Amino acid sequence: MGIYLNPGAGQFLTARSSKIYVDKTMLLRELDEVFGTEQRFVCVSRPRRFGKTMAANMVCAYYDRTVTEDVFSGLAIARAEGARGRRKCDVLRINMQEFLSRAQDMEGLLSRLQRIVLRDLLRAYTDVDYFDREDLVECMRDVYQEMQRPFVIVIVIDEWDCIFREYPHDEKAQRAYLDFLRDWLKDKEYVGLAYMTGILPVKKYGTHSSLNMFTEYSMENPGQFAPYVGFTEDEVRRLCKVYDMDFGGCCAWYDGYAFPHCSHVFSPKSVVEAMLRRKYDDYWTKTETYEALKVYIDLNEGGLRDAIVKMMAGGRQKINTLTFTNDMTTFTSADDVMTLLVHLGYLGYDRREEEVFIPNNEILREYIAATKQGEEWQIVSRAGMKP
């Protein structure tokens, strides 16, 4: 129907057509459980290349009323019962990174976003008596009231946290962005489900968040979404069998993100590349240079260097994640830095024991690359660390 309004199933079908496609559609069952309830605001944060965009495309295709039934034929969700909103909704799919790249500042980003979404909305609903055609919230309310059905039942916001990664020190822009999202979504009856993805959990200011209506499912605490963060052990076993790859080797290279409801989680980007190339190697880490990790482990926070050395030797480190403010610049302790590394995928986190660790060989090699230079890291070399 439009570019942002009801974009169809094209991107999801592209994923389904790939040589390796792992069925994660039961994530949709979890969303159906909260559809149209007070818990309809869901934020799922994962590291880069962990399937965030694919999941967003899947959510759009599932709820988009213009998508045909056969798109999900043969998949797990097609056999599930009790779907509340499947193919009944108008969907808005917003990729904040796309808007950021076209804007000069936050004011420009928010203005462009509203104008483009309004264009799709006004084209789709030409007969509605709009009170203010330049006000996105008012127009969505008008359509909802006149059509006697929810308008935006699903709002998928991919890369919601790009502002905090691209402009980490611009607090004014960050607040304006959060205020816009709050005013657009919070307490709005036209929202049946708001699904956000990003690398970081929702930013906190002081003791509260501007988006406190969202329930967060992060690398620190993914809850019932744990099986949909990366690949599970069973999924990887099946792939290794199909591609005749050693499962033990796959575990050593890419396993290690353990959660209470899913004890073995693998890096999906790395597993897919290893299967297709028939070789275990660094794949996920090559999507970003080791300097990205080095920036954080070189921070002069008390005890951080010793903790990194301990973990590189195979140990674990007790941490307190509660003081982390969900951004990439505000660190008051080594624990804050290590909590960020959990969200970035550079550390695994044992929620029961409140301990962090280096999850696998691929990540360990990244730490070795990041610490091989500099006098302060000579202790690592003297310890004889090897990949």
Side-chain angles (χ1 to χ4, degrees):
M1 180 180 290
I3 298 174
Y4 302 95
L5 174 66
N6 295 334
Q11 294 187 71
F12 174 64
L13 289 173
T14 297
R16 279 206 68 178
S17 301
S18 299
K19 193 168 185 180
I20 292 180
Y21 170 74
V22 175
D23 185 351
K24 296 288 187 178
T25 57
M26 289 307 288
L27 177 150
L28 301 168
R29 183 62 179 271
E30 300 293 340
L31 297 180
D32 270 336
E33 290 292 323
V34 300
F35 181 91
T37 72
E38 291 292 336
Q39 290 73 44
R40 67 192 185 277
F41 299 94
V42 176
C43 181
V44 179
S45 58
R46 313 176 189 175
R48 57 190 168 83
R49 305 309 298 271
F50 259 69
K52 297 187 299 296
T53 300
M54 189 283 291
N57 294 335
M58 179 178 69
V59 172
C60 284
Y62 180 74
Y63 287 103
D64 189 334
R65 65 182 177 84
T66 69
V67 172
T68 58
E69 184 77 21
D70 61 324
V71 166
F72 287 88
S73 64
L75 299 178
I77 192 62
R79 299 185 292 273
E81 297 180 356
R84 296 186 182 183
R86 183 176 179 181
R87 298 179 58 239
K88 298 178 181 177
C89 312
D90 282 318
V91 173
L92 276 176
R93 190 196 190 288
I94 305 296
N95 187 323
M96 288 298 181
Q97 187 68 58
E98 173 189 333
F99 285 93
L100 179 63
S101 66
R102 302 293 300 275
Q104 299 297 317
D105 51 29
M106 178 54 59
E107 182 179 354
L109 182 153
L110 296 179
S111 174
R112 182 180 179 82
L113 186 155
Q114 292 179 80
R115 286 187 291 111
I116 284 181
V117 173
L118 276 169
R119 182 188 63 178
D120 272 7
L121 173 62
L122 297 176
R123 284 178 174 177
Y125 294 97
T126 57
D127 297 331
V128 170
D129 181 19
Y130 294 103
F131 175 76
D132 184 349
R133 287 175 171 264
E134 296 182 356
D135 188 311
L136 177 60
V137 172
E138 287 295 337
C139 285
M140 290 170 68
R141 281 174 170 162
D142 290 340
V143 173
Y144 173 74
Q145 291 298 323
E146 190 154 329
M147 301 302 293
Q148 292 299 302
R149 63 180 174 86
F151 167 62
V152 178
I153 298 296
V154 181
I155 302 176
V156 176
I157 305 176
D158 198 12
E159 299 288 357
W160 88 272
D161 60 345
C162 60
I163 301 303
F164 304 99
R165 291 184 278 113
E166 299 294 336
Y167 296 101
H169 302 287
D170 193 340
E171 185 172 316
K172 181 179 179 181
Q174 293 176 11
R175 286 184 179 275
Y177 175 59
L178 289 176
D179 287 346
F180 166 76
L181 291 180
R182 181 195 61 212
D183 294 342
W184 186 26
L185 304 176
K186 189 172 183 179
D187 298 327
K188 301 301 187 294
E189 57 185 341
Y190 54 69
V191 178
L193 175 70
Y195 178 84
M196 295 204 311
T197 74
I199 292 177
L200 300 177
V202 175
K203 165 72 178 176
K204 293 183 288 187
Y205 285 109
T207 60
H208 69 281
S209 166
S210 295
L211 303 180
N212 57 7
M213 69 282 200
F214 277 91
T215 301
E216 299 185 88
Y217 302 93
S218 68
M219 291 294 283
E220 179 188 341
N221 184 18
Q224 68 269 30
F225 285 78
Y228 316 113
V229 181
F231 288 172
T232 65
E233 181 178 9
D234 288 343
E235 291 165 346
V236 174
R237 281 187 184 277
R238 288 194 291 270
L239 287 174
C240 285
K241 185 176 181 179
V242 170
Y243 287 89
D244 194 26
M245 295 289 285
D246 176 57
F247 177 69
C250 197
C251 289
W253 272 90
Y254 311 124
D255 190 10
Y257 301 98
F259 306 123
H261 301 290
C262 194
S263 58
H264 294 275
V265 176
F266 295 66
S267 167
K269 165 67 175 177
S270 300
V271 170
V272 168
E273 291 292 338
M275 298 298 116
L276 295 177
R277 300 182 187 218
R278 305 296 205 280
K279 179 183 178 182
Y280 294 128
D281 203 344
D282 302 333
Y283 298 115
W284 179 77
T285 54
K286 286 181 179 177
T287 63
E288 190 171 65
T289 64
Y290 74 83
E291 283 86 355
L293 171 63
K294 186 173 176 60
V295 165
Y296 296 109
I297 65 175
D298 278 351
L299 291 173
N300 189 26
E301 298 293 345
L304 178 60
R305 191 168 294 117
D306 289 342
I308 296 297
V309 172
K310 176 182 177 182
M311 289 186 287
M312 290 178 68
R316 291 184 166 215
Q317 178 68 31
K318 199 88 169 179
I319 69 167
N320 177 5
T321 63
L322 297 179
T323 60
F324 182 58
T325 58
N326 299 345
D327 65 28
M328 307 180 90
T329 58
T330 308
F331 306 113
T332 60
S333 67
D335 287 357
D336 289 346
V337 179
M338 288 185 283
T339 303
L340 173 62
L341 294 178
V342 169
H343 293 295
L344 295 178
Y346 286 111
L347 288 177
Y349 179 63
D350 185 332
R351 185 170 176 82
R352 293 191 183 94
E353 301 297 328
E354 298 181 335
E355 293 176 338
V356 290
F357 51 91
I358 295 175
N360 53 53
N361 286 349
E362 183 180 34
I363 304 299
L364 175 59
R365 287 162 66 98
E366 195 75 351
Y367 277 91
I368 293 171
T371 59
K372 66 182 179 180
Q373 297 178 346
E375 182 64 30
E376 67 276 15
W377 287 109
Q378 289 305 304
I379 185 174
V380 177
S381 297
R382 291 196 295 273
M385 300 295 300
K386 294 182 180 180

